[in-house]
Amino acid sequence: MNERWYTMDRPKSKYPKMSMLDRAAQFAPFAALTGHKEAVIEQGRITQEKRILSNEEKLEINEKITELMNLKSKCRITYFEKDKTKSGGQYMESVLSFKRLDELNKTLFFKENVQIQIDDIVDIEILEQ
């Protein structure tokens, strides 16, 4: 044993050499809990509570809806949209063209294929044509 360890040949494996892609795959990140990251993001998403309007505010909105029905014009409407997965929701503002009112279901229909419940409306501004 006169040879030193640093002069010896590298040992040969009896298994075929692994490709670089397969070697890299061994060190790829692994998500043990599938969907956990999405669940954490969803939990951290903030929603708003729907505010209750006073009788005066409701009366003012009803007057604006009547005016909107007579003019059949565009309006800027602010309304509450309920969140599909969590309690609460968010307030949305859109410019829409009035189409019709469904009095039975208390719903406004707009030409942009949008339906808004009257109880969800917090403000209507009628726009000049």
Side-chain angles (χ1 to χ4, degrees):
M1 270 225 163
N2 292 343
E3 290 187 51
R4 301 250 186 239
W5 61 270
Y6 50 84
T7 60
M8 297 175 71
D9 289 335
R10 183 182 171 134
K12 302 286 183 202
S13 174
K14 62 181 177 179
Y15 301 104
K17 192 171 183 180
M18 189 180 287
S19 73
M20 292 296 274
L21 185 64
D22 290 338
R23 283 184 56 79
Q26 293 182 58
F27 303 103
F30 174 69
L33 301 173
T34 305
H36 181 262
K37 181 179 179 183
E38 292 79 10
V40 169
I41 291 170
E42 175 63 21
Q43 187 65 31
R45 191 170 54 85
I46 297 173
T47 58
Q48 297 173 316
E49 292 298 318
K50 183 178 176 182
R51 70 181 188 98
I52 307 300
L53 299 179
S54 68
N55 288 336
E56 292 81 22
E57 290 172 313
K58 289 178 184 178
L59 184 60
E60 186 178 327
I61 287 171
N62 285 336
E63 289 172 358
K64 288 183 181 180
I65 289 172
T66 303
E67 185 179 348
L68 187 63
M69 287 171 45
N70 293 333
L71 295 174
K72 301 237 187 252
S73 67
K74 284 191 171 194
C75 66
R76 178 175 287 116
I77 187 164
T78 306
Y79 60 98
F80 183 79
E81 186 175 272
K82 185 169 176 13
D83 195 283
K84 292 173 178 35
T85 58
K86 294 175 76 171
S87 66
Q90 64 180 346
Y91 283 94
M92 308 291 290
E93 184 177 288
S94 300
V95 174
L96 302 168
S97 301
F98 179 77
K99 186 175 183 181
R100 69 180 180 90
L101 166 68
D102 179 354
E103 290 184 42
L104 182 64
N105 295 312
K106 297 181 180 179
T107 305
L108 293 179
F109 289 83
F110 297 91
K111 293 177 184 174
E112 294 81 5
N113 291 328
V114 175
Q115 302 175 22
I116 301 174
Q117 295 288 316
I118 292 175
D119 292 339
D120 293 336
I121 298 170
V122 292
D123 188 38
I124 299 176
E125 178 188 345
I126 298 174
L127 302 175
E128 299 298 322
Q129 290 195 17

